[in-house]
Amino acid sequence: MPARLLFLCVVLGAAVEARGEEREGVVPTDEPAGRALEADNPCDGLGTSLAVDTEEHRLWLCKDGVTEKSFKVSLGTGGVGKHTAGDSRTPLGTYPLGQPNRSTRYYIAIAVGYPTREQVKRGYTGKDIAIHGPLRLHRKANGPQTQLDWTRGCIALGTDAAIAIVADWVKEHRPSVVHIY
């Protein structure tokens, strides 16, 4: 079996170990942030948070509405607009953000609070959505793992170094939400 096909088979069968918890005072929504990408500042109006533009495949670290750093990311193989467990789609909306945790599969995982309580009432299913690093088994294979969408709905950074930077930033600045649009 070619290495690239084996890689996809292993990755598509992987699951995230982190689970999100809603934070007090955060009112999550499954509505997309409705943002047109601002070329000079994609963090404008987002306060201190993480922002993910699913069309650009980029994650931004936003501090007081100003971009501090950005990273290329991979998304779910099913596209965006998650509604059902197993659909391999990345959810759209604003979600509570957990704290970084070590992961045996992805080095570090940061839980995303999908589905929200309101989404569950409307029949949304699924769990274990996270922002995480590359799959441990293939982390050194052919460079960063962001050339294609390979997750089961998560947001994946391409290197251990990239997820470590994001995790350290989250620990320092304590954003309560991630905006996925």
Side-chain angles (χ1 to χ4, degrees):
M1 178 179 289
R4 179 165 260 160
L5 181 57
L6 177 61
F7 169 77
L8 285 173
C9 292
V10 171
V11 169
L12 291 175
V16 173
E17 298 173 356
R19 178 73 177 129
E21 294 182 17
E22 293 187 20
R23 290 189 181 180
E24 191 174 323
V26 174
V27 182
T29 175
D30 64 316
E31 298 303 318
R35 301 177 55 81
L37 181 61
E38 303 272 341
D40 56 338
N41 185 12
C43 294
D44 188 35
L46 297 181
T48 299
S49 63
L50 300 185
V52 178
D53 184 316
T54 58
E55 288 184 23
E56 296 292 323
H57 284 75
R58 295 216 61 89
L59 178 145
W60 285 274
L61 306 179
C62 303
K63 175 73 171 147
D64 298 325
V66 177
T67 301
E68 288 204 340
K69 194 161 185 74
S70 73
F71 302 88
K72 180 91 169 117
V73 295
S74 290
L75 305 171
T77 59
V80 296
K82 184 166 196 65
H83 291 265
T84 308
D87 64 7
S88 294
R89 291 177 179 263
T90 299
L92 295 173
T94 298
Y95 297 95
L97 190 63
Q99 287 298 303
N101 290 301
R102 290 284 179 175
S103 168
T104 57
R105 290 197 171 158
Y106 306 108
Y107 181 48
I108 298 171
I110 305 167
V112 172
Y114 171 88
T116 65
R117 288 184 186 124
E118 182 60 34
Q119 287 174 325
V120 170
K121 288 178 188 174
R122 291 187 290 164
Y124 287 43
T125 58
K127 62 179 184 174
D128 297 334
I129 299 297
I131 298 167
H132 59 71
L135 185 65
R136 304 310 298 151
L137 183 61
H138 297 286
R139 70 187 180 276
K140 294 182 182 176
N142 300 320
Q145 295 180 28
T146 54
Q147 290 90 3
L148 55 92
D149 288 331
W150 59 266
T151 77
R152 297 181 71 192
C154 293
I155 298 158
L157 286 96
T159 65
D160 288 352
I163 189 62
I165 290 168
V166 172
D168 288 345
W169 190 90
V170 167
K171 288 176 189 175
E172 179 181 348
H173 299 288
R174 305 192 56 77
S176 61
V177 297
V178 57
H179 305 279
I180 307 169
Y181 55 94

